[in-house]
Amino acid sequence: MGNKPQRIGIMGGTFDPIHMGHLLMAESVRMDYDLDKVLFIPTGTSPHKDDSSISPAIDRYIMTMMATYSNPYFFVSPIERDRPGPSYTIDTVRALVAEYEPGTEFYFLTGTDAVLELHTWNNINELLDLCHFVAASRPGKVRTIEQEIERLGPKAVERIHRLTTPELEISSTDIRERVRLGKSIRYFVPENVEHYIHKEGLYRK
Ligand code: NAP
């Protein structure tokens, strides 16, 4: 009997900032999919975004480290932070496939809005060969995402798994807005991340 292949979760996101919804989702997917670890990968320069509105990659990376440090199954990778130019997921996944043992299974965890645009991603067919996707949808978005998956074809139906996560009622956008308005973000983010945001003066305007 051979050893069971390693299963690695890849939690990709802008994480501006990382919040309790991301952490709860990663922990529940880790358990449901029997993942050996989850690699959090904050984006460097996002391919589909105007960079001026996003906090520096180093701040987002540090907050992700702080938020995940106490979980022995969670790790943070600087792979996208350190890569110049836009962060394409295909480059990240190819690098991870080359780094890990042959046969390792990868699960890319991300949010619905990103999955709804999967047809625009670079090399989506190759990506679906290299990894599974777990799409976390806020309740109410499930139908839209099912239509998109079917539109992408049979490989997508097999490789994109859906997950409804009420925890994702928390959103980074809402947290940034709360800080701007001087409202509390206690319990939305881990305490050390809350302190970092205030100390570094993030999201004040
Ligand atoms: P985003 O637009 O910031 O987020 C889209 C939605 O998904 C938001 O509602 C967001 O909520 C949620 N979300 C983002 N990451 C999540 C995660 N890991 N778990 C649960 N919910 C999540 O999307 P993004 O952060 O730019 O992109 C997500 C990932 O897809 C990144 O790794 C990015 O590199 C990748 N991506 C790749 C390409 C490409 O290769 N061409 C194109 C687009 C995206 P919050 O705001 O609360 O996080």
Side-chain angles (χ1 to χ4, degrees):
M1 276 220 315
N3 285 339
K4 174 176 136 330
Q6 259 213 314
R7 278 195 177 177
I8 309 290
I10 307 170
M11 181 79 172
T14 309
F15 301 136
D16 194 17
I18 190 161
H19 54 66
M20 291 305 204
H22 298 131
L23 297 167
L24 280 163
M25 172 197 163
E27 183 66 356
S28 85
V29 174
R30 179 185 76 74
M31 290 187 292
D32 289 356
Y33 288 81
D34 197 17
L35 303 177
D36 295 289
K37 63 176 168 178
V38 180
L39 272 180
F40 284 70
I41 308 192
T43 55
T45 311
S46 267
H48 295 178
K49 282 191 178 175
D50 164 18
D51 233 24
S52 60
S53 59
I54 301 175
S55 304
I58 188 69
D59 286 321
R60 294 183 287 108
Y61 180 83
I62 291 171
M63 289 190 282
T64 307
M65 281 290 276
M66 292 172 112
T68 55
Y69 194 73
S70 61
N71 186 322
Y73 296 100
F74 287 179
F75 296 84
V76 185
S77 164
I79 185 168
E80 294 196 0
R81 185 200 72 187
D82 293 345
R83 192 163 58 221
S87 294
Y88 292 113
T89 300
I90 186 69
D91 298 329
T92 303
V93 173
R94 279 183 188 146
L96 293 172
V97 168
E99 184 183 329
Y100 281 83
E101 292 269 301
T104 302
E105 295 171 359
F106 294 95
Y107 286 76
F108 190 88
L109 326 178
T110 195
T112 313
D113 295 0
V115 171
L116 286 177
E117 292 189 357
L118 270 182
H119 60 278
T120 68
W121 288 27
N122 297 40
N123 307 68
I124 181 61
N125 265 313
E126 185 188 340
L127 256 183
L128 288 170
D129 286 331
L130 296 179
C131 64
H132 295 255
F133 278 79
V134 181
S137 35
R138 299 188 162 104
K141 288 236 176 160
V142 176
R143 264 182 69 90
T144 337
I145 202 163
E146 272 172 4
Q147 283 163 1
E148 173 64 13
I149 293 172
E150 273 168 31
R151 191 152 79 96
L152 285 166
K155 205 193 304 180
V157 173
E158 189 194 318
R159 301 283 272 184
I160 305 177
H161 315 276
R162 278 156 297 115
L163 181 81
T164 306
T165 47
E167 308 89 47
L168 281 182
E169 286 302 337
I170 300 177
S171 85
S172 301
T173 308
D174 181 40
I175 291 168
R176 294 193 300 273
E177 180 70 358
R178 294 182 72 88
V179 175
R180 198 178 62 74
L181 296 173
K183 290 186 178 172
S184 166
I185 55 166
R186 181 170 291 176
Y187 311 127
F188 284 65
V189 295
E191 197 176 348
N192 53 6
V193 171
E194 180 189 354
H195 292 316
Y196 186 89
I197 289 169
H198 294 316
K199 191 168 176 187
E200 297 300 319
L202 300 179
Y203 317 129
R204 284 199 191 146
K205 56 181 179 205

